[in-house]
Short mmCIF file of all heavy atoms in Angstrom, two decimals:
data_model
loop_
_atom_site.label_atom_id
_atom_site.label_comp_id
_atom_site.label_asym_id
_atom_site.label_seq_id
_atom_site.Cartn_x
_atom_site.Cartn_y
_atom_site.Cartn_z
N MET A 1 6.48 4.93 -20.14
CA MET A 1 5.75 4.54 -18.92
C MET A 1 5.30 5.81 -18.17
O MET A 1 5.98 6.82 -18.16
CB MET A 1 6.71 3.75 -17.96
CG MET A 1 6.89 2.30 -18.41
SD MET A 1 5.43 1.30 -18.07
CE MET A 1 5.53 1.15 -16.30
N ALA A 2 4.19 5.72 -17.55
CA ALA A 2 3.67 6.82 -16.73
C ALA A 2 4.50 6.89 -15.47
O ALA A 2 5.28 6.00 -15.15
CB ALA A 2 2.21 6.61 -16.42
N GLU A 3 4.30 7.96 -14.76
CA GLU A 3 4.94 8.14 -13.47
C GLU A 3 4.64 6.93 -12.59
O GLU A 3 3.51 6.49 -12.48
CB GLU A 3 4.41 9.40 -12.80
CG GLU A 3 5.08 9.70 -11.48
CD GLU A 3 4.58 11.00 -10.89
OE1 GLU A 3 4.09 11.85 -11.65
OE2 GLU A 3 4.67 11.15 -9.69
N GLU A 4 5.66 6.39 -11.98
CA GLU A 4 5.48 5.19 -11.18
C GLU A 4 4.75 5.53 -9.89
O GLU A 4 5.08 6.47 -9.19
CB GLU A 4 6.82 4.59 -10.85
CG GLU A 4 6.72 3.28 -10.12
CD GLU A 4 8.08 2.63 -9.93
OE1 GLU A 4 9.03 3.28 -9.44
OE2 GLU A 4 8.19 1.45 -10.31
N ILE A 5 3.75 4.73 -9.64
CA ILE A 5 2.95 4.86 -8.37
C ILE A 5 3.58 3.88 -7.37
O ILE A 5 3.76 2.73 -7.70
CB ILE A 5 1.49 4.57 -8.62
CG1 ILE A 5 0.93 5.54 -9.64
CG2 ILE A 5 0.72 4.64 -7.32
CD1 ILE A 5 -0.48 5.23 -10.11
N VAL A 6 3.85 4.39 -6.24
CA VAL A 6 4.29 3.51 -5.16
C VAL A 6 3.34 3.53 -3.98
O VAL A 6 2.58 4.48 -3.79
CB VAL A 6 5.70 3.89 -4.67
CG1 VAL A 6 6.74 3.71 -5.78
CG2 VAL A 6 5.74 5.30 -4.16
N TYR A 7 3.36 2.48 -3.26
CA TYR A 7 2.50 2.34 -2.09
C TYR A 7 3.37 2.05 -0.83
O TYR A 7 4.45 1.49 -0.93
CB TYR A 7 1.52 1.20 -2.29
CG TYR A 7 0.52 1.49 -3.42
CD1 TYR A 7 0.80 1.16 -4.72
CD2 TYR A 7 -0.64 2.18 -3.13
CE1 TYR A 7 -0.09 1.42 -5.73
CE2 TYR A 7 -1.55 2.48 -4.15
CZ TYR A 7 -1.25 2.09 -5.46
OH TYR A 7 -2.13 2.34 -6.45
N TYR A 8 2.83 2.49 0.27
CA TYR A 8 3.55 2.31 1.52
C TYR A 8 2.75 1.41 2.45
O TYR A 8 1.55 1.58 2.65
CB TYR A 8 3.75 3.69 2.25
CG TYR A 8 4.57 4.66 1.39
CD1 TYR A 8 3.93 5.46 0.47
CD2 TYR A 8 5.92 4.73 1.60
CE1 TYR A 8 4.69 6.38 -0.29
CE2 TYR A 8 6.66 5.67 0.85
CZ TYR A 8 6.03 6.48 -0.06
OH TYR A 8 6.76 7.35 -0.83
N CYS A 9 3.46 0.45 3.01
CA CYS A 9 2.85 -0.42 4.01
C CYS A 9 2.42 0.39 5.21
O CYS A 9 3.18 1.23 5.71
CB CYS A 9 3.84 -1.50 4.45
SG CYS A 9 3.22 -2.51 5.79
N GLN A 10 1.19 0.21 5.65
CA GLN A 10 0.66 1.02 6.76
C GLN A 10 1.18 0.47 8.10
O GLN A 10 0.89 1.02 9.15
CB GLN A 10 -0.84 0.99 6.72
CG GLN A 10 -1.38 1.76 5.51
CD GLN A 10 -0.87 3.19 5.44
OE1 GLN A 10 -1.38 4.07 6.15
NE2 GLN A 10 0.13 3.47 4.64
N GLU A 11 1.95 -0.60 8.04
CA GLU A 11 2.51 -1.15 9.27
C GLU A 11 3.99 -0.76 9.41
O GLU A 11 4.37 -0.25 10.45
CB GLU A 11 2.38 -2.69 9.26
CG GLU A 11 2.92 -3.37 10.51
CD GLU A 11 2.16 -2.97 11.76
OE1 GLU A 11 0.93 -2.71 11.69
OE2 GLU A 11 2.75 -2.89 12.83
N CYS A 12 4.74 -0.93 8.35
CA CYS A 12 6.20 -0.72 8.48
C CYS A 12 6.71 0.32 7.51
O CYS A 12 7.91 0.65 7.50
CB CYS A 12 6.96 -2.02 8.30
SG CYS A 12 6.94 -2.63 6.61
N ASP A 13 5.82 0.89 6.67
CA ASP A 13 6.19 1.90 5.69
C ASP A 13 7.09 1.39 4.56
O ASP A 13 7.70 2.17 3.88
CB ASP A 13 6.87 3.10 6.37
CG ASP A 13 5.91 4.27 6.61
OD1 ASP A 13 4.77 4.13 6.21
OD2 ASP A 13 6.33 5.25 7.24
N GLU A 14 7.13 0.10 4.41
CA GLU A 14 7.85 -0.44 3.28
C GLU A 14 7.25 0.13 1.99
O GLU A 14 6.03 0.18 1.84
CB GLU A 14 7.76 -1.97 3.25
CG GLU A 14 8.38 -2.65 2.04
CD GLU A 14 9.88 -2.71 2.08
OE1 GLU A 14 10.49 -2.01 2.90
OE2 GLU A 14 10.46 -3.48 1.34
N LYS A 15 8.10 0.58 1.07
CA LYS A 15 7.60 1.13 -0.15
C LYS A 15 7.65 0.08 -1.26
O LYS A 15 8.67 -0.57 -1.50
CB LYS A 15 8.51 2.32 -0.57
CG LYS A 15 7.96 3.09 -1.78
CD LYS A 15 8.72 4.38 -1.98
CE LYS A 15 10.10 4.13 -2.57
NZ LYS A 15 10.81 5.42 -2.89
N ILE A 16 6.55 -0.09 -1.91
CA ILE A 16 6.47 -1.09 -2.99
C ILE A 16 5.79 -0.47 -4.22
O ILE A 16 5.10 0.50 -4.15
CB ILE A 16 5.71 -2.36 -2.58
CG1 ILE A 16 4.23 -2.06 -2.33
CG2 ILE A 16 6.34 -3.04 -1.36
CD1 ILE A 16 3.38 -3.30 -2.15
N THR A 17 6.09 -1.08 -5.36
CA THR A 17 5.48 -0.58 -6.59
C THR A 17 4.18 -1.27 -6.84
O THR A 17 3.85 -2.30 -6.20
CB THR A 17 6.41 -0.87 -7.78
OG1 THR A 17 6.51 -2.28 -8.00
CG2 THR A 17 7.82 -0.29 -7.57
N ILE A 18 3.42 -0.76 -7.75
CA ILE A 18 2.13 -1.38 -8.08
C ILE A 18 2.33 -2.78 -8.59
O ILE A 18 1.51 -3.67 -8.35
CB ILE A 18 1.34 -0.48 -9.11
CG1 ILE A 18 -0.07 -0.98 -9.31
CG2 ILE A 18 2.11 -0.37 -10.39
CD1 ILE A 18 -0.95 -0.81 -8.07
N GLU A 19 3.42 -2.99 -9.29
CA GLU A 19 3.70 -4.34 -9.77
C GLU A 19 3.94 -5.32 -8.62
O GLU A 19 3.52 -6.45 -8.63
CB GLU A 19 4.88 -4.34 -10.73
CG GLU A 19 4.53 -3.77 -12.10
CD GLU A 19 5.70 -3.91 -13.08
OE1 GLU A 19 6.75 -4.45 -12.70
OE2 GLU A 19 5.54 -3.46 -14.20
N GLN A 20 4.71 -4.81 -7.64
CA GLN A 20 4.95 -5.64 -6.47
C GLN A 20 3.65 -5.90 -5.72
O GLN A 20 3.36 -7.03 -5.29
CB GLN A 20 5.96 -4.97 -5.54
CG GLN A 20 7.40 -4.99 -6.08
CD GLN A 20 8.30 -4.24 -5.13
OE1 GLN A 20 8.19 -3.02 -5.01
NE2 GLN A 20 9.20 -4.94 -4.49
N LEU A 21 2.86 -4.85 -5.64
CA LEU A 21 1.59 -4.97 -4.91
C LEU A 21 0.70 -6.03 -5.54
O LEU A 21 0.07 -6.83 -4.86
CB LEU A 21 0.88 -3.60 -4.96
CG LEU A 21 -0.43 -3.52 -4.16
CD1 LEU A 21 -0.16 -3.60 -2.66
CD2 LEU A 21 -1.17 -2.26 -4.49
N ALA A 22 0.70 -6.06 -6.85
CA ALA A 22 -0.17 -7.02 -7.58
C ALA A 22 0.28 -8.47 -7.40
O ALA A 22 -0.52 -9.38 -7.52
CB ALA A 22 -0.17 -6.67 -9.06
N SER A 23 1.54 -8.64 -7.04
CA SER A 23 2.05 -9.99 -6.89
C SER A 23 2.16 -10.44 -5.45
O SER A 23 2.66 -11.50 -5.14
CB SER A 23 3.42 -10.10 -7.57
OG SER A 23 4.34 -9.28 -6.94
N LEU A 24 1.68 -9.62 -4.52
CA LEU A 24 1.75 -9.98 -3.15
C LEU A 24 0.85 -11.16 -2.84
O LEU A 24 -0.21 -11.34 -3.41
CB LEU A 24 1.32 -8.78 -2.25
CG LEU A 24 2.22 -7.57 -2.23
CD1 LEU A 24 1.65 -6.50 -1.33
CD2 LEU A 24 3.63 -7.95 -1.77
N ASP A 25 1.26 -11.93 -1.85
CA ASP A 25 0.47 -13.06 -1.38
C ASP A 25 -0.60 -12.56 -0.46
O ASP A 25 -0.33 -12.18 0.65
CB ASP A 25 1.38 -14.03 -0.70
CG ASP A 25 0.62 -15.22 -0.10
OD1 ASP A 25 -0.55 -15.45 -0.54
OD2 ASP A 25 1.13 -15.86 0.80
N ALA A 26 -1.85 -12.52 -0.96
CA ALA A 26 -3.00 -12.10 -0.17
C ALA A 26 -2.84 -10.70 0.41
O ALA A 26 -3.41 -10.37 1.42
CB ALA A 26 -3.28 -13.11 0.97
N GLY A 27 -2.06 -9.89 -0.27
CA GLY A 27 -1.91 -8.50 0.16
C GLY A 27 -0.96 -8.31 1.32
O GLY A 27 -0.89 -7.23 1.91
N LYS A 28 -0.22 -9.33 1.66
CA LYS A 28 0.68 -9.22 2.79
C LYS A 28 1.92 -8.44 2.39
O LYS A 28 2.47 -8.64 1.33
CB LYS A 28 1.10 -10.62 3.30
CG LYS A 28 -0.03 -11.39 3.97
CD LYS A 28 0.46 -12.79 4.36
CE LYS A 28 -0.65 -13.61 4.90
NZ LYS A 28 -0.23 -15.03 5.16
N CYS A 29 2.36 -7.61 3.29
CA CYS A 29 3.59 -6.84 3.05
C CYS A 29 4.77 -7.79 2.94
O CYS A 29 4.93 -8.74 3.76
CB CYS A 29 3.81 -5.90 4.25
SG CYS A 29 5.37 -5.06 4.20
N PRO A 30 5.62 -7.61 1.88
CA PRO A 30 6.75 -8.50 1.71
C PRO A 30 7.79 -8.39 2.78
O PRO A 30 8.64 -9.23 2.93
CB PRO A 30 7.31 -8.04 0.35
CG PRO A 30 6.86 -6.66 0.17
CD PRO A 30 5.49 -6.59 0.87
N LYS A 31 7.74 -7.27 3.51
CA LYS A 31 8.76 -7.03 4.53
C LYS A 31 8.29 -7.50 5.88
O LYS A 31 9.02 -8.24 6.56
CB LYS A 31 9.10 -5.54 4.56
CG LYS A 31 10.19 -5.19 5.56
CD LYS A 31 10.56 -3.72 5.49
CE LYS A 31 11.71 -3.38 6.42
NZ LYS A 31 12.05 -1.96 6.42
N CYS A 32 7.09 -7.07 6.31
CA CYS A 32 6.67 -7.40 7.67
C CYS A 32 5.54 -8.41 7.71
O CYS A 32 5.18 -8.90 8.78
CB CYS A 32 6.27 -6.09 8.41
SG CYS A 32 4.73 -5.37 7.82
N GLY A 33 4.94 -8.74 6.56
CA GLY A 33 3.91 -9.75 6.51
C GLY A 33 2.55 -9.23 6.96
O GLY A 33 1.61 -10.00 7.13
N SER A 34 2.46 -7.92 7.20
CA SER A 34 1.20 -7.37 7.72
C SER A 34 0.16 -7.31 6.61
O SER A 34 0.48 -7.08 5.45
CB SER A 34 1.46 -5.97 8.30
OG SER A 34 0.24 -5.34 8.58
N ILE A 35 -1.09 -7.43 7.00
CA ILE A 35 -2.18 -7.17 6.06
C ILE A 35 -2.89 -5.88 6.43
O ILE A 35 -4.07 -5.66 6.12
CB ILE A 35 -3.18 -8.37 6.04
CG1 ILE A 35 -3.74 -8.63 7.40
CG2 ILE A 35 -2.54 -9.58 5.42
CD1 ILE A 35 -4.96 -9.53 7.37
N GLU A 36 -2.13 -5.00 7.07
CA GLU A 36 -2.69 -3.71 7.45
C GLU A 36 -3.13 -2.91 6.24
O GLU A 36 -4.05 -2.11 6.33
CB GLU A 36 -1.58 -2.90 8.21
CG GLU A 36 -2.07 -1.63 8.85
CD GLU A 36 -3.02 -1.89 10.02
OE1 GLU A 36 -2.98 -3.00 10.60
OE2 GLU A 36 -3.80 -1.01 10.33
N GLY A 37 -2.52 -3.16 5.12
CA GLY A 37 -2.89 -2.49 3.91
C GLY A 37 -1.79 -1.54 3.41
O GLY A 37 -0.81 -1.27 4.13
N PHE A 38 -2.01 -0.96 2.25
CA PHE A 38 -1.04 -0.06 1.65
C PHE A 38 -1.71 1.22 1.28
O PHE A 38 -2.89 1.25 0.89
CB PHE A 38 -0.40 -0.72 0.44
CG PHE A 38 0.40 -1.93 0.76
CD1 PHE A 38 -0.22 -3.17 0.85
CD2 PHE A 38 1.77 -1.82 1.03
CE1 PHE A 38 0.54 -4.30 1.20
CE2 PHE A 38 2.51 -2.95 1.38
CZ PHE A 38 1.89 -4.19 1.46
N SER A 39 -0.96 2.31 1.37
CA SER A 39 -1.47 3.63 1.04
C SER A 39 -0.53 4.30 0.09
O SER A 39 0.70 4.01 0.07
CB SER A 39 -1.61 4.46 2.32
OG SER A 39 -1.90 5.81 1.98
N THR A 40 -1.06 5.24 -0.66
CA THR A 40 -0.17 6.03 -1.53
C THR A 40 0.63 7.07 -0.74
O THR A 40 1.52 7.71 -1.26
CB THR A 40 -0.99 6.79 -2.60
OG1 THR A 40 -2.09 7.44 -1.98
CG2 THR A 40 -1.51 5.81 -3.63
N PHE A 41 0.32 7.16 0.59
CA PHE A 41 1.11 8.02 1.42
C PHE A 41 1.73 7.19 2.53
O PHE A 41 1.14 6.22 2.99
CB PHE A 41 0.22 9.06 2.11
CG PHE A 41 -0.30 10.11 1.13
CD1 PHE A 41 -1.57 9.96 0.55
CD2 PHE A 41 0.45 11.23 0.84
CE1 PHE A 41 -2.04 10.92 -0.33
CE2 PHE A 41 -0.05 12.18 -0.06
CZ PHE A 41 -1.33 12.03 -0.60
N PRO A 42 2.97 7.54 2.94
CA PRO A 42 3.54 6.85 4.09
C PRO A 42 2.63 7.04 5.29
O PRO A 42 1.97 8.04 5.45
CB PRO A 42 4.86 7.62 4.30
CG PRO A 42 5.18 8.26 3.02
CD PRO A 42 3.83 8.57 2.41
N LYS A 43 2.62 6.08 6.18
CA LYS A 43 1.65 6.11 7.29
C LYS A 43 1.84 7.30 8.17
O LYS A 43 0.90 7.78 8.77
CB LYS A 43 1.73 4.81 8.09
CG LYS A 43 3.04 4.62 8.88
CD LYS A 43 2.93 3.41 9.77
CE LYS A 43 4.18 3.26 10.60
NZ LYS A 43 4.08 2.14 11.58
N ASP A 44 3.05 7.77 8.27
CA ASP A 44 3.32 8.89 9.14
C ASP A 44 2.89 10.24 8.58
O ASP A 44 2.90 11.26 9.25
CB ASP A 44 4.81 8.98 9.48
CG ASP A 44 5.26 7.87 10.39
OD1 ASP A 44 4.36 7.30 11.06
OD2 ASP A 44 6.42 7.58 10.49
N SER A 45 2.46 10.25 7.31
CA SER A 45 2.05 11.51 6.70
C SER A 45 0.58 11.48 6.32
O SER A 45 0.12 12.32 5.57
CB SER A 45 2.92 11.81 5.48
OG SER A 45 2.68 10.88 4.46
N THR A 46 -0.16 10.53 6.81
CA THR A 46 -1.56 10.44 6.40
C THR A 46 -2.46 11.39 7.23
O THR A 46 -3.56 11.60 6.82
CB THR A 46 -2.07 8.99 6.61
OG1 THR A 46 -1.77 8.52 7.88
CG2 THR A 46 -1.50 8.05 5.55
N ASN A 47 -1.94 11.92 8.31
CA ASN A 47 -2.78 12.86 9.06
C ASN A 47 -3.08 14.07 8.20
O ASN A 47 -2.19 14.77 7.74
CB ASN A 47 -2.03 13.30 10.31
CG ASN A 47 -1.96 12.23 11.38
OD1 ASN A 47 -2.77 11.28 11.32
ND2 ASN A 47 -1.06 12.37 12.30
N GLY A 48 -4.37 14.31 7.97
CA GLY A 48 -4.76 15.44 7.19
C GLY A 48 -4.79 15.10 5.70
O GLY A 48 -5.38 15.80 4.89
N PHE A 49 -4.23 13.99 5.34
CA PHE A 49 -4.22 13.57 3.93
C PHE A 49 -5.08 12.34 3.74
O PHE A 49 -5.18 11.84 2.64
CB PHE A 49 -2.82 13.34 3.45
CG PHE A 49 -1.95 14.55 3.44
CD1 PHE A 49 -1.08 14.77 4.49
CD2 PHE A 49 -2.00 15.47 2.39
CE1 PHE A 49 -0.27 15.91 4.51
CE2 PHE A 49 -1.22 16.56 2.40
CZ PHE A 49 -0.34 16.82 3.43
N LYS A 50 -5.65 11.87 4.79
CA LYS A 50 -6.33 10.58 4.76
C LYS A 50 -7.40 10.54 3.64
O LYS A 50 -7.53 9.57 2.97
CB LYS A 50 -6.99 10.32 6.09
CG LYS A 50 -7.25 8.82 6.35
CD LYS A 50 -6.01 8.17 6.92
CE LYS A 50 -6.26 6.71 7.27
NZ LYS A 50 -5.05 6.06 7.82
N ASP A 51 -8.08 11.66 3.43
CA ASP A 51 -9.14 11.67 2.47
C ASP A 51 -8.59 11.51 1.04
O ASP A 51 -9.30 11.04 0.14
CB ASP A 51 -9.92 12.98 2.54
CG ASP A 51 -10.78 13.06 3.79
OD1 ASP A 51 -10.95 12.01 4.44
OD2 ASP A 51 -11.23 14.17 4.11
N ASP A 52 -7.38 11.90 0.85
CA ASP A 52 -6.78 11.81 -0.50
C ASP A 52 -6.04 10.50 -0.72
O ASP A 52 -5.77 10.13 -1.83
CB ASP A 52 -5.82 12.99 -0.73
CG ASP A 52 -6.53 14.29 -0.76
OD1 ASP A 52 -7.68 14.32 -1.22
OD2 ASP A 52 -5.91 15.30 -0.38
N ALA A 53 -5.70 9.88 0.37
CA ALA A 53 -4.91 8.67 0.25
C ALA A 53 -5.74 7.49 -0.29
O ALA A 53 -6.93 7.40 -0.01
CB ALA A 53 -4.34 8.25 1.62
N VAL A 54 -5.10 6.72 -1.08
CA VAL A 54 -5.72 5.49 -1.61
C VAL A 54 -5.29 4.35 -0.69
O VAL A 54 -4.15 3.99 -0.69
CB VAL A 54 -5.34 5.21 -3.06
CG1 VAL A 54 -5.98 3.91 -3.54
CG2 VAL A 54 -5.75 6.35 -3.95
N ILE A 55 -6.23 3.89 0.06
CA ILE A 55 -5.89 2.77 0.94
C ILE A 55 -6.24 1.47 0.29
O ILE A 55 -7.38 1.24 -0.12
CB ILE A 55 -6.69 2.89 2.30
CG1 ILE A 55 -6.42 4.26 2.95
CG2 ILE A 55 -6.30 1.74 3.27
CD1 ILE A 55 -5.02 4.46 3.39
N LEU A 56 -5.27 0.61 0.27
CA LEU A 56 -5.52 -0.73 -0.30
C LEU A 56 -5.37 -1.74 0.80
O LEU A 56 -4.45 -1.66 1.60
CB LEU A 56 -4.50 -1.00 -1.41
CG LEU A 56 -4.52 -0.05 -2.56
CD1 LEU A 56 -3.39 -0.38 -3.52
CD2 LEU A 56 -5.84 -0.06 -3.30
N ASN A 57 -6.24 -2.66 0.85
CA ASN A 57 -6.14 -3.70 1.83
C ASN A 57 -6.53 -5.07 1.22
O ASN A 57 -6.71 -5.17 0.02
CB ASN A 57 -6.94 -3.43 3.06
CG ASN A 57 -8.41 -3.24 2.77
OD1 ASN A 57 -8.96 -3.92 1.90
ND2 ASN A 57 -9.01 -2.32 3.45
N GLU A 58 -6.61 -6.05 2.05
CA GLU A 58 -6.88 -7.39 1.52
C GLU A 58 -8.14 -7.52 0.75
O GLU A 58 -8.33 -8.40 -0.04
CB GLU A 58 -6.79 -8.43 2.63
CG GLU A 58 -7.97 -8.39 3.57
CD GLU A 58 -7.83 -7.42 4.70
OE1 GLU A 58 -6.98 -6.51 4.59
OE2 GLU A 58 -8.54 -7.59 5.68
N ALA A 59 -9.07 -6.56 0.99
CA ALA A 59 -10.38 -6.66 0.29
C ALA A 59 -10.24 -6.68 -1.20
O ALA A 59 -10.95 -7.38 -1.92
CB ALA A 59 -11.25 -5.47 0.71
N ILE A 60 -9.31 -5.88 -1.71
CA ILE A 60 -9.18 -5.83 -3.20
C ILE A 60 -8.63 -7.12 -3.76
O ILE A 60 -8.83 -7.41 -4.92
CB ILE A 60 -8.32 -4.67 -3.67
CG1 ILE A 60 -6.82 -4.84 -3.28
CG2 ILE A 60 -8.82 -3.35 -3.15
CD1 ILE A 60 -5.90 -3.94 -4.04
N PHE A 61 -7.92 -7.84 -2.89
CA PHE A 61 -7.37 -9.13 -3.39
C PHE A 61 -8.43 -10.23 -3.40
O PHE A 61 -8.21 -11.27 -3.96
CB PHE A 61 -6.17 -9.52 -2.56
CG PHE A 61 -5.06 -8.54 -2.67
CD1 PHE A 61 -4.88 -7.53 -1.72
CD2 PHE A 61 -4.18 -8.58 -3.73
CE1 PHE A 61 -3.86 -6.64 -1.84
CE2 PHE A 61 -3.14 -7.68 -3.88
CZ PHE A 61 -3.01 -6.67 -2.89
N LEU A 62 -9.54 -9.93 -2.75
CA LEU A 62 -10.61 -10.90 -2.74
C LEU A 62 -11.57 -10.71 -3.91
O LEU A 62 -12.34 -11.57 -4.26
CB LEU A 62 -11.39 -10.84 -1.43
CG LEU A 62 -10.56 -11.13 -0.15
CD1 LEU A 62 -11.39 -10.93 1.08
CD2 LEU A 62 -9.96 -12.54 -0.22
N GLU A 63 -11.47 -9.52 -4.52
CA GLU A 63 -12.28 -9.26 -5.68
C GLU A 63 -11.73 -9.99 -6.88
O GLU A 63 -10.54 -10.19 -6.98
CB GLU A 63 -12.32 -7.77 -5.98
CG GLU A 63 -13.04 -7.00 -4.88
CD GLU A 63 -12.99 -5.49 -5.20
OE1 GLU A 63 -12.50 -5.11 -6.25
OE2 GLU A 63 -13.47 -4.69 -4.35
N ASP A 64 -12.56 -10.37 -7.79
CA ASP A 64 -12.12 -11.09 -8.92
C ASP A 64 -12.16 -10.17 -10.16
O ASP A 64 -13.11 -9.47 -10.36
CB ASP A 64 -12.96 -12.34 -9.19
CG ASP A 64 -12.30 -13.23 -10.20
OD1 ASP A 64 -11.07 -13.30 -10.22
OD2 ASP A 64 -13.04 -13.88 -10.96
ZN1 ZN B 1 5.08 -3.89 6.13
#
């Protein structure tokens, strides 16, 4: 397996794996239920890193 990629809820910083992300209900955080989206960086460390962060939100779940 490749290095595991994890994502952080932009609302509560819950850390989830890509597998968990793929199985979320409409992209809602399993912990807080937010659809704020997920980033490869914790929300508190996105300052200055925003350009590099991969932000995922409900939009990708609407794509087929
Ligand atoms: Zn959350």
Side-chain angles (χ1 to χ4, degrees):
M1 284 287 287
E3 182 178 337
E4 185 173 52
I5 299 172
V6 296
Y7 294 90
Y8 299 87
C9 174
Q10 294 302 282
E11 181 63 31
C12 70
D13 263 356
E14 175 78 344
K15 188 170 73 174
I16 65 170
T17 67
I18 188 67
E19 285 186 1
Q20 287 176 293
L21 185 69
S23 63
L24 293 180
D25 176 21
K28 292 177 185 173
C29 173
K31 184 176 182 182
C32 71
S34 171
I35 57 168
E36 189 69 23
F38 295 87
S39 169
T40 49
F41 292 94
K43 67 172 182 176
D44 288 340
S45 67
T46 50
N47 288 341
F49 295 98
K50 203 83 177 182
D51 290 345
D52 293 329
V54 177
I55 306 293
L56 300 176
N57 58 36
E58 73 273 20
I60 68 163
F61 296 96
L62 299 177
E63 293 178 4
D64 193 33

